[in-house]
């Protein structure tokens, strides 16, 4: 979500080929959500979503990347470079978009004219996940060729290749860029950038589907059960866990409001929920949308580290609405 003083926007992609936009008003006493827009530009299910301050990029099994201009509230056009499903998308600031696909390509796009600046043969198989370093100079990718690759985005060349011997599904830099994590099945491997060594491993009870850094050391983990867990990647301890949905949690994301963090979760049960996390309490948002979700990105994620989170002991509703 891009966070404004009085409201934020929530974007979600769906199996129904549509990206939905909701405006969430964060009042002191009550939170409300209203439908803001829909973007139906694909002919197959949405497989990836990314957002910048102005644009929404959606990738699909129809092999296209569709761009929506939120400022003008119009469809901006399509990017047609990949051959196969678009598996991952990520903006770097407002200047560049990176995409990865089933064809093994990592593409770098300029948001000024939407020219494909670089097309890199990143993996022999599908690119399953990518992550751009906070500096914008490096990117990480993992693929079905069972490798983790570090890319120098200045010259478009591979800087490091690591054989991880298994198919990783997620790779992500920490907010400060000094660590990165790789998700393989039910485990999260934590690496140190300076030494490129594995420093710790977190084991989740079920296969992991989504992660989100809440601070530089606290990671939200969701997977093939109803529970979301907040873990310290340095100590491998579970700081907090709670049942978020009736079925598996498909995706997690977050944004900040004042002095607390809002965790957003999406599930196959058809709901998106918001959970308000503070220093000593964790409060919950009840369902905000009923649609089958395939991805849940943010408009602009604040990477400023939040205060150390303590184990939440209470849950209070702050928002409850359901779309028809």
């Amino acid at each position: 979500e891009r966070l404004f003083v009085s409201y934020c926007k929530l974007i979600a992609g769906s199996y129904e080929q549509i990206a939905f936009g909701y405006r969430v008003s964060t009042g002191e006493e009550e939170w409300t959500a209203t439908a803001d827009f829909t973007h139906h530009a694909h002919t197959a299910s949405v497989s990836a979503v990314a957002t910048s301050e102005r644009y929404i990029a959606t990738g699909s099994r129809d092999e296209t990347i569709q761009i929506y201009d939120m400022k003008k509230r119009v469809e901006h056009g399509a990017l047609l470079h990949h051959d196969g499903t678009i598996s991952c998308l990520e903006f770097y600031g407002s200047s560049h978009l990176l995409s990865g696909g089933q064809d093994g390509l990592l593409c770098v796009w300029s948001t000024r004219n939407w020219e494909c600046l670089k097309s890199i043969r990143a993996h022999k198989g599908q690119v399953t996940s990518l992550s751009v370093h906070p500096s914008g100079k490096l990117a990480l990718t993992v693929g079905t060729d069972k490798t983790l690759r570090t890319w120098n985005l200045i010259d478009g060349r591979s800087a490091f290749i690591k054989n991880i011997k298994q198919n990783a599904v997620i790779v992500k830099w920490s907010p400060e860029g000094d660590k990165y994590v790789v998700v393989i099945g039910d485990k999260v491997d934590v690496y140190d950038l300076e030494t490129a060594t594995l420093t710790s491993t977190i084991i989740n009870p079920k296969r992991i589907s989504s992660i989100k850094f809440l601070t530089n050391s606290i990671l939200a983990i969701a997977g093939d059960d109803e529970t979301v867990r907040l873990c310290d990647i340095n100590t491998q301890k579970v700081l907090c866990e709670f049942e978020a949905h009736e079925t598996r949690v498909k995706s997690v994301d977050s944004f900040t409001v004042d002095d607390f963090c809002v965790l957003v979760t999406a599930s196959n049960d058809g709901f998106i929920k918001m959970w308000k996390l503070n220093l000593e309490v964790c409060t919950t948002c009840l369902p905000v949308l009923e649609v089958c979700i395939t991805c849940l990105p943010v408009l602009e994620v604040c990477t400023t580290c939040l205060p150390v989170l303590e184990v939440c002991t209470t849950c209070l509703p702050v928002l409850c609405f359901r779309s028809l």
Side-chain angles (χ1 to χ4, degrees):
E1 285 69 29
R2 164 139 179 139
L3 183 61
F4 298 90
V5 174
S6 60
Y7 68 92
C8 59
K9 285 186 178 179
L10 175 68
I11 313 298
S14 73
Y15 287 128
E16 285 76 24
Q17 310 167 10
I18 302 172
F20 296 87
Y22 279 81
R23 179 173 298 199
V24 180
S25 299
T26 57
E28 292 185 4
E29 296 183 359
E30 183 182 12
W31 287 28
T32 59
T34 55
D36 193 40
F37 66 87
T38 59
H39 180 218
H40 191 179
H42 291 287
T43 58
S45 60
V46 177
S47 54
V49 181
T51 54
S52 67
E53 185 175 350
R54 178 172 179 176
Y55 296 106
I56 298 172
T58 57
S60 171
R61 297 180 185 277
D62 65 10
E63 306 183 0
T64 70
I65 301 170
Q66 299 287 339
I67 307 299
Y68 181 83
D69 188 329
M70 289 185 292
K71 182 178 179 180
K72 296 181 179 179
R73 302 179 71 84
V74 295
E75 294 182 6
H76 192 73
L79 308 180
L80 306 173
H81 190 80
H82 286 281
D83 181 17
T85 298
I86 311 302
S87 53
C88 44
L89 294 167
E90 184 172 322
F91 277 97
Y92 175 70
S94 60
S95 60
H96 295 86
L97 170 69
L98 280 77
S99 62
Q102 189 177 27
D103 53 8
L105 293 181
L106 171 65
C107 296
V108 182
W109 309 82
S110 167
T111 60
R112 184 174 61 85
N113 55 12
W114 296 107
E115 177 188 359
C116 184
L117 302 176
K118 290 181 173 62
S119 180
I120 304 167
R121 180 63 62 180
H123 293 272
K124 294 181 180 179
Q126 176 180 335
V127 179
T128 54
S129 180
L130 68 86
S131 184
V132 185
H133 191 267
S135 69
K137 297 178 180 180
L138 297 173
L140 294 170
T141 61
V142 289
T144 53
D145 58 2
K146 301 180 182 179
T147 63
L148 163 68
R149 299 178 184 242
T150 306
W151 300 95
N152 183 329
L153 294 180
I154 304 301
D155 58 19
R157 295 182 179 180
S158 176
F160 181 73
I161 301 175
K162 181 177 178 59
N163 184 1
I164 53 179
K165 300 180 181 179
Q166 298 179 73
N167 288 330
V169 293
I170 302 171
V171 63
K172 194 175 291 290
W173 289 103
S174 65
E176 295 180 8
D178 60 331
K179 303 180 183 70
Y180 57 90
V181 296
V182 177
V183 174
I184 302 172
D186 61 353
K187 69 175 183 175
V188 180
D189 287 333
V190 182
Y191 290 87
D192 179 78
L193 172 61
E194 189 172 332
T195 62
T197 57
L198 179 66
T199 59
S200 63
T201 297
I202 299 170
I203 304 297
N204 198 58
K206 298 287 186 178
R207 184 178 66 90
I208 298 169
S209 57
S210 183
I211 59 173
K212 174 65 181 181
F213 275 101
L214 303 184
T215 74
N216 204 58
S217 60
I218 297 177
L219 190 70
I221 301 175
D224 285 351
D225 61 4
E226 306 85 357
T227 303
V228 173
R229 296 170 180 87
L230 308 186
C231 299
D232 188 317
I233 63 173
N234 296 321
T235 65
Q236 300 91 57
K237 291 183 178 179
V238 177
L239 304 177
C240 171
E241 64 178 62
F242 56 93
E243 185 174 315
H245 292 270
E246 294 183 359
T247 59
R248 72 182 181 118
V249 181
K250 186 90 175 189
S251 187
V252 294
D253 220 311
S254 70
F255 61 93
T256 56
V257 176
D258 299 329
D259 61 345
F260 58 83
C261 171
V262 177
L263 185 69
V264 187
T265 62
S267 169
N268 283 358
D269 63 8
F271 288 110
I272 296 174
K273 298 183 182 182
M274 292 185 177
W275 308 82
K276 183 178 175 183
L277 307 177
N278 210 331
L279 288 176
E280 297 181 354
V281 297
C282 172
T283 60
T284 78
C285 277
L286 295 178
V288 297
L289 180 66
E290 186 173 15
V291 63
C292 190
I293 302 300
T294 58
C295 41
L296 181 64
V298 295
L299 292 180
E300 184 175 307
V301 178
C302 176
T303 57
T304 303
C305 289
L306 301 174
V308 175
L309 296 176
E310 297 182 5
V311 176
C312 66
T313 57
T314 62
C315 290
L316 299 174
V318 296
L319 173 64
C320 180
F321 108 94
R322 188 172 184 174
S323 67
L324 300 178

